[in-house]
Amino acid sequence: MSKQIQSKLLTMKGFYLLTFFGVGSISPLLSVYMSEVINFSGYQIGTIMSVGPIMMIFFQPIWGMVSDRLNAPVKVLTTTTLLAGLISAGYLFFQSYFGFLAIAILVALFQSAIIPISDSVSLAYCGRVKANYGSIRLYGSLGFGLAVFVMGRLSEINENVIFYSFFFALAIASILATRLPQEKANAAGNKRLLSGMRELFLYKKFLLFLAITFMIFGPNLANNVYFGLFVENQGGSYTGIGIAFLIAVLSEIPFMRLAGRFTRRYGLLPVVAVAGMVSLARWFFYYTEPNLWVIYVSAFLQGASIGLFIPAALQYVRDITPAHMTATAITLYSAIGNGLGNWFCTFLGGIIYDQYQINTVYLFFSLLACLGVMLQIWLMRIEKKETVLNESLVQH
């Protein structure tokens, strides 16, 4: 591998590390900040925290089309990363609900471009130079985990540090973005976006898997909002929240590295099913309000849920959809899981938290995960019937 390729891969690792460090600085601790420092209600917290997923649903496809129309994904990524960081400084000047809501909307508008465009550039470059995308992407998990741990400790001194960290991390990441590989966009892909969506709705397995993603992955993402409140409710400090998140996020790394080996040996759907069952067990366990130290230990279960689900689910979507619709399928998959499912669980979780207790939010998550696992079993049966039918046709 040439020095130039190694340099580009190192830049990509640094970009993921910094952007997720920024997200990890603010996302898990913002709900605690709004609850403890500003005394927002559960409904207000849920509304503000659900803005990001809503913006993802509508603006991820738009940013993709803008990137492709300009044929300059790196320039779009650099600009949106910088603007998201700059606008986030507004959190330091507003203490009202509508002020926080406005800043959250503007930050989410530009932040919604960062992950899909950087993933698109990274996947294209890794495919071209035969590099392992998973070994690049895991630096995002590392950055997120380190951020929550460090910010958890520093927040004990000054709660505003989470906003400074987000700003500086994204500002530096935007500088690194200028050095990312200049991969060209697939302009034809986005021109077919709407027609591709209509065609994808004819694929029963794809629609069923979108529902599974909504019910299993949605609560996993919303957990980033409520896990800090849950740890705090059980007696944890800011530092304790950071420790819990560090254990949870770092546990994703080995599972992401092993996911490919597991899927080749056991199949994609069985691995996704295991991830769903681990999520179900974890949420129901939290509903029982276990001891704080047990929560810390159990946080490693996130590795088996998210660390296995992300790579296996992405590969399954690629496998079950025609090649000419892969980009559209992944856009829809991201919008349903990262966007709609995340928003639904975050928003409704805020209402449940307001009316009941934080552990009831996890009962809600466990019920959704249970439905997701049931749909997963149904999908596996459909796959098995298709396999038997295809084998029968081949024999005759």
Side-chain angles (χ1 to χ4, degrees):
M1 187 177 292
S2 69
K3 289 185 178 180
Q4 183 180 8
I5 293 176
Q6 290 178 343
S7 176
K8 290 296 183 184
L9 294 176
L10 184 61
T11 300
M12 289 158 57
K13 292 175 182 178
F15 180 83
Y16 276 112
L17 182 72
L18 283 167
T19 52
F20 277 87
F21 189 94
V23 174
S25 298
I26 199 170
S27 178
L29 295 172
L30 183 58
S31 58
V32 181
Y33 179 92
M34 291 188 289
S35 175
E36 293 297 309
V37 179
I38 313 183
N39 295 317
F40 284 169
S41 67
Y43 171 79
Q44 290 173 320
I45 293 171
T47 303
I48 292 171
M49 298 303 291
S50 64
V51 162
I54 281 289
M55 300 299 278
M56 286 182 185
I57 296 172
F58 295 103
F59 283 95
Q60 276 189 345
I62 292 175
W63 282 120
M65 286 186 280
V66 169
S67 173
D68 288 351
R69 179 63 62 89
L70 298 176
N71 202 18
V74 170
K75 289 182 179 179
V76 174
L77 182 61
T78 301
T79 304
T80 53
T81 302
L82 179 60
L83 288 175
L86 288 173
I87 294 170
S88 70
Y91 282 121
L92 295 166
F93 302 101
F94 294 95
Q95 294 292 302
S96 68
Y97 166 66
F98 288 106
F100 258 62
L101 183 62
I103 296 299
I105 290 172
L106 290 174
V107 170
L109 170 64
F110 295 104
Q111 189 180 337
S112 63
I114 297 175
I115 300 304
I117 295 180
S118 60
D119 278 350
S120 176
V121 170
S122 300
L123 281 167
Y125 186 75
C126 287
R128 184 159 60 85
V129 302
K130 308 302 181 185
N132 183 1
Y133 166 75
S135 66
I136 305 296
R137 177 60 175 77
L138 64 81
Y139 279 83
S141 296
L142 177 62
F144 191 98
L146 290 175
V148 182
F149 177 70
V150 173
M151 291 304 111
R153 295 183 68 87
L154 294 179
S155 293
E156 301 278 1
I157 303 171
N158 186 340
E159 297 92 342
N160 289 330
V161 71
I162 62 176
F163 306 119
Y164 289 107
S165 179
F166 184 85
F167 165 73
F168 283 113
L170 264 66
I172 299 172
S174 69
I175 297 173
L176 277 183
T178 62
R179 300 179 56 196
L180 289 172
Q182 299 289 335
E183 297 298 310
K184 296 301 181 182
N186 179 13
N190 272 301
K191 290 179 180 178
R192 292 194 299 263
L193 182 64
L194 295 178
S195 61
M197 285 184 179
R198 288 193 292 267
E199 188 176 347
L200 281 170
F201 288 142
L202 300 176
Y203 289 81
K204 180 180 178 180
K205 289 193 297 184
F206 178 70
L207 293 178
L208 190 54
F209 194 71
L210 288 184
I212 292 167
T213 301
F214 177 93
M215 293 174 184
I216 292 178
F217 201 50
N220 271 294
L221 293 175
N223 176 60
N224 287 335
V225 173
Y226 294 105
F227 191 47
L229 293 171
F230 178 68
V231 172
E232 181 191 42
N233 185 70
Q234 298 305 105
S237 61
Y238 277 105
T239 300
I241 294 170
I243 292 172
F245 266 103
L246 181 66
I247 295 170
V249 177
L250 293 187
S251 69
E252 296 175 15
I253 295 175
F255 283 97
M256 280 190 176
R257 295 185 68 92
L258 293 171
R261 186 181 303 175
F262 289 153
T263 54
R264 286 191 297 270
R265 183 170 182 178
Y266 302 107
L268 291 169
L269 287 183
V271 170
V272 172
V274 168
M277 287 186 282
V278 170
S279 296
L280 168 59
R282 185 186 181 196
W283 306 147
F284 190 77
F285 179 62
Y286 287 170
Y287 169 64
T288 65
E289 297 186 282
N291 179 275
L292 183 61
W293 289 104
V294 179
I295 294 173
Y296 291 152
V297 174
S298 67
F300 80 92
L301 292 173
Q302 181 161 311
S305 54
I306 294 182
L308 291 178
F309 188 93
I310 290 177
L314 185 62
Q315 186 60 49
Y316 183 72
V317 170
R318 292 170 66 91
D319 286 356
I320 65 172
T321 54
H324 70 280
M325 292 192 297
T326 297
T328 306
I330 292 176
T331 299
L332 271 176
Y333 160 77
S334 179
I336 295 298
N338 297 342
L340 186 61
N342 190 355
W343 165 80
F344 179 77
C345 295
T346 301
F347 180 72
L348 206 57
I351 295 175
I352 294 171
Y353 175 55
D354 218 17
Q355 298 296 320
Y356 301 97
Q357 295 178 329
I358 188 65
N359 67 312
T360 311
V361 174
Y362 284 96
L363 176 62
F364 165 59
F365 288 174
S366 67
L367 292 174
L368 280 180
C370 183
L371 290 174
V373 170
M374 292 170 65
L375 288 179
Q376 180 67 42
I377 294 172
W378 183 23
L379 180 57
M380 290 172 69
R381 288 181 176 176
I382 293 174
E383 289 272 12
K384 187 175 181 180
K385 288 181 180 179
E386 288 185 354
T387 301
V388 172
L389 180 61
N390 290 336
E391 289 177 350
S392 177
L393 291 174
V394 170
Q395 291 175 357
H396 291 83

